[in-house]
C-alpha cells in the first residue's frame, strides 16, 4: 500500500485570522501540518522577533497540537543577503531566535529564502558575490542550528541569489552538514528563459537535490508578457506529475505544503493534487 499524500499549507495564506478561526480552516481542509510564520499570522504576538519567547512557542504549539496539526516548518522570513551589514546581522539574529525556539514550537526545521542584496528585484542578485554572501550567512545559521539540534531549510527564490537547482547543489557541497536541508519549490526555479521546459527544470532539481529535500512547496506559474507570474497549484503551466511521483515512490511521507494558494482556490488545488497523486 502506497503512502498517502501529505498536504499542508502556509498558515498565513489564510490571512491574519483569530487563532480559533485559523484552526477551523485548517481542519476544514484536512491539513495536518503547516508552515508557520508566527509574525505573519499573529503580528500582535510578535511585535519584533526578539519578543518571541518559550511561552509564545508553547502557546501556539499546544493550540495546533490539540487541533491535530503539526508545525512542519517554522517560517522565518528574513533577508540574509542584504547589502547593509547591520540589516544582515539583524536578520541572522532573528533567525537565531527561531532556531533556539524551534523545539518549543514542536518544529525541527526553520525555513527561509536567501532574500536580496537590495530592495526587490536587482540583477546584482545574480552575481558570484551575492551567492557567496548567502553561503556565508547560511553557514553561520547552520553552525547555530547544530548547537540546538535543529535543521535549517533553505529555499531557492525567484530572482534571489539562490535561484537555480545547480546553485542550490553547490550550496549543499560548500556546507556539507546534515543540519542543512532544502525546501524545494519548483515554481521558484522557473525563469522566462526556461519556462517552456518546466519538466526539465523539475527533473534536474530532483536529481541534484535528491534526499536533501526536506519539504516541497506546491504552487504554480504562468509566463505572461515575458514575466513569471505565480498562481495557485493547478492553474498554471507546472507539470506536477514528476513532483508527486517523487513524493509517492522515492520519498514517501514527504511533507508537501501549498503556497500562494488562498481561498477560494484551496479546495480545487487540493483536489487536483490528490487525484493526480492517486493516479500515478
Amino acid at each position: 500500500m502506497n503512502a498517502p499524500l501529505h498536504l499542508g499549507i502556509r498558515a498565513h495564506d489564510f490571512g491574519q485570522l483569530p487563532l480559533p478561526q485559523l484552526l477551523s480552516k485548517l481542519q476544514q481542509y484536512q491539513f495536518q501540518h503547516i508552515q508557520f510564520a508566527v509574525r505573519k499570522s499573529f503580528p500582535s504576538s510578535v511585535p519584533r522577533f526578539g519578543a518571541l519567547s518559550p511561552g509564545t512557542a508553547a502557546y501556539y504549539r499546544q493550540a495546533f497540537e490539540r487541533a491535530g496539526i503539526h508545525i512542519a516548518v517554522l517560517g522565518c522570513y528574513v533577508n540574509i543577503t542584504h547589502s547593509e551589514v547591520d540589516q544582515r546581522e539583524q536578520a541572522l539574529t532573528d533567525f537565531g531566535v527561531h532556531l533556539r525556539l524551534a523545539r518549543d514550537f514542536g518544529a525541527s526545521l526553520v525555513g527561509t529564502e536567501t532574500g536580496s542584496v537590495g530592495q526587490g528585484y536587482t540583477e546584482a542578485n545574480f552575481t558570484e558575490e551575492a551567492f557567496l554572501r548567502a553561503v556565508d550567512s547560511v553557514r553561520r545559521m547552520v553552525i547555530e542550528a547544530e548547537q540546538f539540534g535543529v535543521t535549517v531549510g533553505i529555499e531557492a527564490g525567484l530572482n534571489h541569489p539562490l535561484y537555480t537547482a545547480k546553485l542550490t547543489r553547490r550550496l549543499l557541497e560548500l556546507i556539507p552538514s546534515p543540519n542543512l536541508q532544502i525546501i524545494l519549490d519548483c515554481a521558484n526555479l522557473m525563469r522566462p528563459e526556461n519556462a517552456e521546459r518546466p519538466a526539465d527544470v523539475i527533473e534536474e532539481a530532483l536529481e541534484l537535490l535528491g534526499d536533501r529535500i526536506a519539504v516541497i512547496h506546491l504552487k504554480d506559474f504562468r509566463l505572461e508578457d515575458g514575466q513569471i507570474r505565480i498562481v495557485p497549484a493547478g492553474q498554471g503551466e507546472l507539470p506536477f506529475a514528476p513532483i508527486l511521483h517523487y513524493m509517492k515512490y522515492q520519498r514517501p511521507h514527504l511533507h508537501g505544503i501549498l503556497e500562494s494558494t488562498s481561498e477560494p482556490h484551496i479546495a480545487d488545488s487540493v483536489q487536483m493534487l490528490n487525484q493526480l497523486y492517486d493516479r500515478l
Side-chain angles (χ1 to χ4, degrees):
M1 182 177 178
N2 294 116
L5 176 61
H6 295 289
L7 277 182
I9 194 169
R10 295 189 312 183
H12 63 273
D13 281 330
F14 283 106
Q16 293 175 359
L17 300 177
L19 181 56
Q21 190 174 346
L22 172 61
L23 296 175
S24 177
K25 290 284 188 183
L26 294 170
Q27 292 175 321
Q28 173 187 337
Y29 293 104
Q30 299 182 330
F31 292 128
Q32 296 182 338
H33 65 269
I34 56 170
Q35 178 166 324
F36 185 48
V38 58
R39 197 176 185 193
K40 282 185 173 289
S41 290
F42 302 103
S44 62
S45 288
V46 194
R48 53 186 175 82
F49 283 130
L52 278 170
S53 70
T56 314
Y59 172 77
Y60 287 107
R61 174 182 183 169
Q62 292 165 9
F64 287 122
E65 285 182 345
R66 285 194 295 268
I69 297 160
H70 167 62
I71 300 175
V73 181
L74 185 62
C76 179
Y77 292 87
V78 291
N79 187 351
I80 63 172
T81 53
H82 201 288
S83 58
E84 296 294 332
V85 175
D86 290 348
Q87 294 196 44
R88 191 162 69 250
E89 289 297 321
Q90 185 61 55
L92 294 176
T93 297
D94 293 339
F95 196 88
V97 172
H98 286 72
L99 291 173
R100 174 168 54 85
L101 295 175
R103 294 295 187 182
D104 296 298
F105 276 101
S108 60
L109 184 75
V110 184
T112 189
E113 295 175 330
T114 52
S116 175
V117 300
Q119 297 297 324
Y121 175 83
T122 169
E123 292 189 359
N125 282 337
F126 309 139
T127 64
E128 178 74 357
E129 178 184 3
F131 171 75
L132 292 177
R133 184 181 298 159
V135 171
D136 178 70
S137 292
V138 173
R139 182 178 286 113
R140 292 171 57 185
M141 292 153 60
V142 170
I143 290 172
E144 191 167 5
E146 290 171 340
Q147 297 172 355
F148 293 110
V150 295
T151 301
V152 174
I154 293 293
E155 178 181 358
L158 184 65
N159 300 323
H160 288 203
L162 190 72
Y163 60 95
T164 69
K166 288 180 179 177
L167 281 174
T168 306
R169 181 68 217 176
R170 186 179 167 201
L171 174 73
L172 292 173
E173 291 170 351
L174 290 170
I175 309 175
S177 169
N179 293 73
L180 173 61
Q181 300 289 314
I182 299 303
I183 299 171
L184 177 63
D185 187 329
C186 292
N188 277 357
L189 301 177
M190 305 312 305
R191 305 188 304 280
E193 55 267 33
N194 66 18
E196 293 184 357
R197 46 184 184 85
D200 294 340
V201 175
I202 293 169
E203 181 182 5
E204 178 185 59
L206 295 177
E207 180 178 345
L208 290 177
L209 305 178
D211 292 346
R212 298 295 293 276
I213 299 169
V215 171
I216 290 186
H217 277 172
L218 298 164
K219 68 182 183 221
D220 216 331
F221 82 97
R222 293 178 191 159
L223 182 64
E224 296 182 353
D225 299 322
Q227 300 294 321
I228 298 294
R229 179 190 169 201
I230 297 301
V231 297
Q235 295 189 18
E237 303 167 29
L238 195 74
F240 284 92
I243 301 171
L244 296 178
H245 190 277
Y246 169 83
M247 295 175 70
K248 186 171 185 175
Y249 296 106
Q250 294 180 251
R251 302 292 303 284
H253 304 288
L254 186 68
H255 284 139
I257 296 179
L258 287 178
E259 180 177 335
S260 301
T261 303
S262 58
E263 293 184 307
H265 306 292
I266 293 173
D268 288 343
S269 292
V270 168
Q271 182 181 41
M272 181 277 294
L273 292 167
N274 274 308
Q275 288 180 347
L276 180 56
Y277 183 89
D278 290 342
R279 291 199 302 268
L280 292 172

